[in-house]
Amino acid sequence: MAGTAQGRWTLEHDGRLLEADAPPPRLTGGGRELRLYVDGDLVATKATSSKKAKLTHEDLTVRATWDWRGELSNCALVPARTEADIKDAKDLKELIDKSGETWFTPPEGSRAARRERLARRHPRLYASRHVALAAARVLLPLLGIAALIKIPKPHIDLPDIDLPGIPRPRIPWPDIDLPSIPLPDLPDVTLPGWLQAIVQTAKYWGPILAAVGLAVQEHERRKKQRQKAAERAAAKEAEKAEKAVKAGEPETAQQRETGEEPETGTGAERPGKAAGRG
């Protein structure tokens, strides 16, 4: 498998090393470009002026997102799905919330790598940033209005200017008698006081409630990504062990810990053991 180049997002998928990167906007004339490598070879590129891009090569589809600095903030492998693949509500949910995607690993030293470490160490705190931002959007305007109310406003005497009257033309509009349609009297519905209070304050708690749902969704999505990463690591270790067995090294981790000798299958005994029994 080819080595990993510095500054590339990486993902091992089906025995292949997938890498993605994006050159700085100053090198692409202000636009954005996503590049995909398979085992070190450049296989596809995608230029865009948006902050999001989706690149497809054969059976691979990669989705990328840039931040306001023009750097990649997220890169994921999107599962190839068709309408026939959506068989139940779980498949539809994965398609909507993108939980079926597999995330690339950001390059070391990048802002994305530091964000990922923070998210792994404090997953709930990292996800709760959506709630903090929503609360700030609600509270800051209220605090700003309160501050403006307390600031004394200076009284400025403006000069009184007499503007000349401009005659306006009169247009003879036709007089049209519209038919009178009798409408039924609608019942007078009055909401309870507690429900009126909820409706009137929805613009304050609504964004915060939506942010809570977004935080929970992100926490669950990152939890699934960690599980996928653990499964890939376990599969890689199992593959290494299988290759070691085929190469004539059947010693397992348990045998190394206990000091037990691996069976050679020849029926021969070590001289020390034979002498001890004799």
Side-chain angles (χ1 to χ4, degrees), residues 112-169:
R114 292 194 291 270
R115 282 198 306 268
E116 192 61 30
R117 282 196 298 270
L118 177 62
R120 285 198 301 266
R121 293 173 184 173
H122 309 284
R124 292 182 176 84
L125 178 62
Y126 184 79
S128 64
R129 74 190 189 280
H130 299 290
V131 182
L133 290 174
R137 291 192 186 101
V138 172
L139 293 177
L140 287 179
L142 295 178
L143 296 176
I145 293 173
L148 289 176
I149 293 174
K150 292 181 180 180
I151 296 175
K153 299 176 179 58
H155 179 69
I156 301 174
D157 292 331
L158 298 176
D160 189 8
I161 301 174
D162 293 331
L163 297 176
I166 300 175
R168 291 177 293 179

Side-chain angles (χ1 to χ4, degrees), residues 102-221:
T102 304
W103 291 355
F104 281 63
T105 301
E108 280 297 326
S110 63
R111 292 186 179 90
R114 292 194 291 270
R115 282 198 306 268
E116 192 61 30
R117 282 196 298 270
L118 177 62
R120 285 198 301 266
R121 293 173 184 173
H122 309 284
R124 292 182 176 84
L125 178 62
Y126 184 79
S128 64
R129 74 190 189 280
H130 299 290
V131 182
L133 290 174
R137 291 192 186 101
V138 172
L139 293 177
L140 287 179
L142 295 178
L143 296 176
I145 293 173
L148 289 176
I149 293 174
K150 292 181 180 180
I151 296 175
K153 299 176 179 58
H155 179 69
I156 301 174
D157 292 331
L158 298 176
D160 189 8
I161 301 174
D162 293 331
L163 297 176
I166 300 175
R168 291 177 293 179
R170 292 186 177 182
I171 302 175
W173 298 107
D175 188 11
I176 302 175
D177 293 332
L178 297 177
S180 178
I181 302 175
L183 297 176
D185 294 333
L186 297 177
D188 187 10
V189 179
T190 303
L191 296 177
W194 62 270
L195 188 55
Q196 290 182 9
I198 291 177
V199 173
Q200 292 173 358
T201 58
K203 61 181 179 180
Y204 302 116
W205 56 261
I208 298 177
L209 185 61
V212 170
L214 186 61
V216 172
Q217 183 180 8
E218 179 176 344
H219 177 67
E220 293 296 327
R221 188 164 61 245

Side-chain angles (χ1 to χ4, degrees), residues 59 61 78-96 100:
D59 60 333
T61 301
V78 181
R81 289 182 181 271
T82 61
E83 294 182 358
D85 297 329
I86 304 176
K87 300 178 181 178
D88 51 21
K90 181 181 178 182
D91 294 338
L92 183 60
K93 180 178 179 297
E94 290 183 354
L95 181 64
I96 295 175

